[in-house]
Amino acid sequence: MISYKNKDRINIFLLLLPWILTFLVFWAYPVVYSFILSLSEYKTLSNETVFIGLDNYIAMFNDEVFLKALSNTLLFVFVTVPITTSLATILAVMVDRTNGKLKEFFKAAYFLPSVTSLVVIALIFKNLYSKEGYINTLLQMVGMSGQSEGWLQSLDTALPAIMAMDIWIATGYYMIIVLAGLQTIPKDLYEAADISGATAWQQLKSITLPMLKPTLLFILVVNTIKSFQVFIEIYVMTKGGPLNETTTLVYQVYQNAFEMADKMGYASAVAYVLFFIILVISLMQMKLLKEKY
Amino acid sequence: MVRKYIINIILIIVALGMAFPIFWMIALSFKANPETHDTITKLFFSEYSFTNYWKALSSDSFDIYLLNSVIVSTVVTLGNILFCTLTGYALARKKFKGNKIIMLSIIGVMMIPPHVIMIPLYRTMVNFDWINTYQALIVPWLITPFGVFLVKQYLSNIPDAIENAAIIDGANQFQIIFKIIFPLAKPIIIVLAVYIFLMNWNSFLFPFLFTNNAEYWTLPVGLTFYMGKQSINWGQLMSGASMSAIPIILIFLLFQKQIIKGLTAGAIKE
């Protein structure tokens, strides 16, 4: 191994310098500053910061829009994550049975939404979901009435429409991960099951799913963390409307910080609540993975 | 046998569903005055023209947005290739005090949701007087913790015999890095480069917060402002959207393996 020499120490320092600077200036400082801001009232015009303790955190519980954003975000997580995970698993098991060019084609097609910009996808769906959009046209073709107000304009359908789009985007991505997980299952397990006469369904239930557990757990956590941060689709498609029906935690952070006066401190507090939720999920995941696998 | 056909048919229907919105975008982008309720057959068989693309590029500043996207994504990608490799190399091959702390800072940052720091990072840019500059769009992302992690893992799994031989032959640090480490790490550097390019090409939140002058907008930012500006001309909007999506789809088809590896890295323990 390379020994400790002064010259080498300087080299090591220089090699690490870009990361150390980036870490301090663009990550560590913002995280700390954001916490201080969350305990303050920031006056936009005079650029003053007044310390107000936990007032911002307490104010959240009386802010109806925040509570709506919290419940929307939780709804988003609890609806989209299980559906995406199940669809991804079903599709992966099916794609795993195909071969050669067809398999490559499916992988590429299903992954397409994941490489396309979310802004672009949100724009396309805004078009498809509109009052005279193609989704209504299709529904009318098969004799249904469609959504006469437009899917994103109606209180009842705005949030579900965005959730459906997010499921459409994410399913292919997680399908690829499950597919990779399937490759790690030893083939002789299935051979043994074949010999003892187990049906395909039995094999799925007692070999595939248990062996996929670490992969599925990983997907659940990653997808949960992602779904807690829904923002771009809301900004592009509904701006939180109609009547805050589709607002989310990150959208509240954005709106308070950048569209309202003197609310940057409050917005930072909302951001910190979100940070705390995500941190707890990440730590739980690490503990679970360590314990079981 | 029958079951196999049923599975294939289901998978093909789903694949068409996955591709349809992208197809819809491209189809609309070639129509002069598309009606949103046009049926797919009507869209498909009516006339095609590049009018929307020329209009978007010449009179709606999409030429500037496109150029900005190319500049920002390219510079950030080159920065990551250099800096992630240097730092990853130091972490994988050098013994020094503080190695663990640096690793901890990298893993810790990977766990920070970027949305959480949007306010303080915006304040930092204001204090640096960097709002509406290329620095704001580029400098914070020149080295990414995920990239460092990727290179570090890759180099840790390669024996250091070649380097030790080079040291005995009298090669200096500079030569070792550029003549041995970079060629050695090439496969993972390609994964890193394609991943970083993709992420920055599609990036919206920070470019959106750090600019309010159209001179510095990238495609995703320009698209959202264009949408809010007037009654929507879907044909032109979709031609702008296609300019953002089509290059990345082509890159995806070319580097499919690397992109999937980058986007799903860490998911499966091998």
Side-chain angles (χ1 to χ4, degrees):
Chain A
M1 256 333 265
I2 303 142
S3 64
Y4 259 118
K5 281 179 287 182
N6 273 338
K7 205 179 146 198
D8 209 38
R9 268 192 211 173
I10 296 168
N11 283 340
I12 292 169
F13 179 70
L14 288 176
L15 291 171
L16 297 174
L17 194 61
W19 170 247
I20 295 173
L21 285 177
T22 306
F23 173 71
L24 292 177
V25 178
F26 298 117
W27 294 99
Y29 168 74
V31 169
V32 176
Y33 179 65
S34 162
F35 184 64
I36 296 169
L37 212 53
S38 80
L39 301 173
S40 322
E41 187 178 4
Y42 175 79
K43 298 257 198 289
T44 316
L45 280 178
S46 55
N47 201 0
E48 263 180 286
T49 315
V50 187
F51 183 79
I52 55 166
L54 290 174
D55 284 8
N56 283 330
Y57 289 90
I58 296 162
M60 269 181 246
F61 295 99
N62 299 317
D63 178 357
E64 272 177 40
V65 183
F66 167 79
L67 294 174
K68 182 77 198 165
L70 182 65
S71 77
N72 277 348
T73 307
L74 290 173
L75 192 66
F76 213 98
V77 170
F78 286 114
V79 173
T80 62
V81 173
I83 294 180
T84 307
T85 310
S86 321
L87 285 178
T89 310
I90 295 167
L91 286 174
V93 170
M94 286 165 81
V95 171
D96 197 36
R97 286 163 181 252
T98 60
N99 289 308
K101 286 227 167 92
L102 204 56
K103 192 174 191 171
E104 293 307 311
F105 166 74
F106 288 137
K107 278 163 77 176
Y110 292 2
F111 210 69
L112 203 56
S114 306
V115 295
T116 312
S117 145
L118 193 48
V119 169
V120 168
I121 289 176
L123 284 176
I124 302 172
F125 274 84
K126 197 174 173 168
N127 177 289
L128 292 172
Y129 280 146
S130 63
K131 195 160 52 174
E132 294 173 331
Y134 197 60
I135 291 185
N136 272 348
T137 311
L138 273 183
L139 289 174
Q140 279 150 12
M141 263 158 57
V142 294
M144 285 191 273
S145 60
Q147 171 55 266
S148 55
E149 291 172 80
W151 293 83
L152 297 171
Q153 282 71 40
S154 155
L155 285 171
D156 300 326
T157 53
L159 194 62
I162 299 177
M163 286 181 190
M165 179 189 81
D166 269 49
I167 292 168
W168 174 83
I169 297 170
T171 299
Y173 172 72
Y174 294 110
M175 188 285 280
I176 295 279
I177 298 181
V178 179
L179 195 59
L182 286 173
Q183 311 313 311
T184 62
I185 303 174
K187 292 280 171 279
D188 43 353
L189 284 180
Y190 292 106
E191 280 160 25
D194 269 336
I195 292 164
S196 54
T199 63
W201 173 245
Q202 284 170 328
Q203 292 185 18
L204 183 74
K205 225 173 57 180
S206 42
I207 301 174
T208 312
L209 289 180
M211 295 293 282
L212 271 182
K213 225 169 148 191
T215 309
L216 294 179
L217 187 69
F218 173 85
I219 291 181
L220 280 177
V221 173
V222 173
N223 200 357
T224 303
I225 292 175
K226 260 194 185 164
S227 302
F228 263 108
Q229 301 178 63
V230 174
F231 169 73
I232 295 178
E233 43 276 65
I234 307 294
Y235 179 78
V236 174
M237 297 171 87
T238 64
K239 298 251 185 328
L243 298 169
N244 293 319
E245 191 59 35
T246 59
T247 195
T248 61
L249 287 176
V250 177
Y251 196 76
Q252 278 309 298
V253 175
Y254 164 77
Q255 215 175 21
N256 278 293
F258 297 102
E259 288 184 347
M260 295 180 194
D262 301 339
K263 286 279 209 161
M264 228 174 218
Y266 180 68
S268 298
V270 176
Y272 245 84
V273 168
L274 179 66
F275 188 22
F276 184 74
I277 295 173
I278 291 174
L279 195 69
V280 170
I281 299 168
S282 304
L283 293 176
M284 265 164 47
Q285 175 213 16
M286 279 172 123
K287 203 166 170 247
L288 269 172
L289 283 175
K290 258 188 196 158
E291 263 174 22
K292 289 195 173 163
Y293 310 105
Chain B
M1 226 25 217
V2 176
R3 195 159 68 193
K4 198 178 162 188
Y5 281 117
I6 293 173
I7 286 179
N8 282 350
I9 288 166
I10 295 173
L11 287 174
I12 287 169
I13 292 171
V14 177
L16 291 177
M18 292 286 179
F20 172 74
I22 312 277
F23 167 80
W24 185 251
M25 165 190 77
I26 296 172
L28 283 184
S29 77
F30 286 112
K31 302 297 148 189
N33 283 306
E35 302 286 336
T36 49
H37 57 274
D38 273 353
T39 59
I40 198 135
T41 38
K42 202 172 146 202
L43 262 182
F44 201 73
F45 290 109
S46 64
E47 255 179 82
Y48 290 80
S49 85
F50 278 98
T51 318
N52 291 324
Y53 285 86
W54 301 139
K55 270 193 191 157
L57 285 170
S58 59
S59 56
D60 291 311
S61 334
F62 274 92
D63 51 342
I64 298 174
Y65 309 152
L66 189 63
L67 187 68
N68 285 339
S69 277
V70 171
I71 292 172
V72 171
S73 309
T74 309
V75 176
V76 172
T77 304
L78 291 175
N80 274 279
I81 292 176
L82 180 66
F83 296 129
C84 293
T85 310
L86 294 183
T87 304
Y89 160 73
L91 286 169
R93 290 296 159 87
K94 303 282 190 184
K95 273 188 182 163
F96 60 95
K97 274 184 201 162
N99 192 318
K100 278 209 171 133
I101 295 174
I102 300 280
M103 263 327 275
L104 201 67
S105 75
I106 287 168
I107 292 168
V109 168
M110 288 204 292
M111 279 164 61
I112 298 176
H115 297 88
V116 167
I117 59 163
M118 71 177 167
I119 298 167
L121 209 51
Y122 169 79
R123 296 292 317 155
T124 308
M125 293 301 157
V126 172
N127 292 335
F128 283 6
D129 213 3
W130 277 10
I131 298 296
N132 290 325
T133 62
Y134 283 115
Q135 296 94 289
L137 303 180
I138 291 171
V139 177
W141 324 114
L142 281 175
I143 179 166
T144 43
F146 174 75
V148 176
F149 188 77
L150 217 57
V151 176
K152 190 245 163 195
Q153 293 297 89
Y154 187 82
L155 288 176
S156 298
N157 291 329
I158 293 179
D160 51 8
I162 310 172
E163 283 157 79
N164 288 339
I167 293 169
I168 292 164
D169 286 346
N172 63 32
Q173 186 66 76
F174 189 81
Q175 289 168 325
I176 291 176
I177 290 172
F178 288 95
K179 294 221 168 110
I180 296 171
I181 296 301
F182 270 91
L184 205 63
K186 203 174 147 198
I188 202 70
I189 289 176
I190 296 174
V191 172
L192 170 75
V194 182
Y195 172 81
I196 296 287
F197 189 88
L198 184 94
M199 284 292 138
N200 282 279
W201 182 269
N202 289 342
S203 171
F204 171 73
L205 181 65
F206 291 107
F208 165 71
L209 293 179
F210 297 167
T211 56
N212 50 42
N213 177 342
E215 289 285 309
Y216 296 97
W217 286 345
T218 55
L219 276 172
V221 182
L223 276 172
T224 57
F225 275 96
Y226 184 74
M227 189 192 65
K229 212 166 59 178
Q230 62 229 324
S231 64
I232 302 173
N233 177 328
W234 282 108
Q236 259 158 276
L237 188 62
M238 286 306 167
S239 72
S242 301
M243 282 182 233
S244 168
I246 291 173
I248 225 67
I249 291 172
L250 293 179
I251 292 176
F252 169 62
L253 294 176
L254 273 174
F255 292 99
Q256 196 183 331
K257 270 200 184 122
Q258 282 87 352
I259 288 181
I260 289 178
K261 194 168 178 195
L263 281 171
T264 57
I268 305 299
K269 282 186 206 159
E270 279 171 298

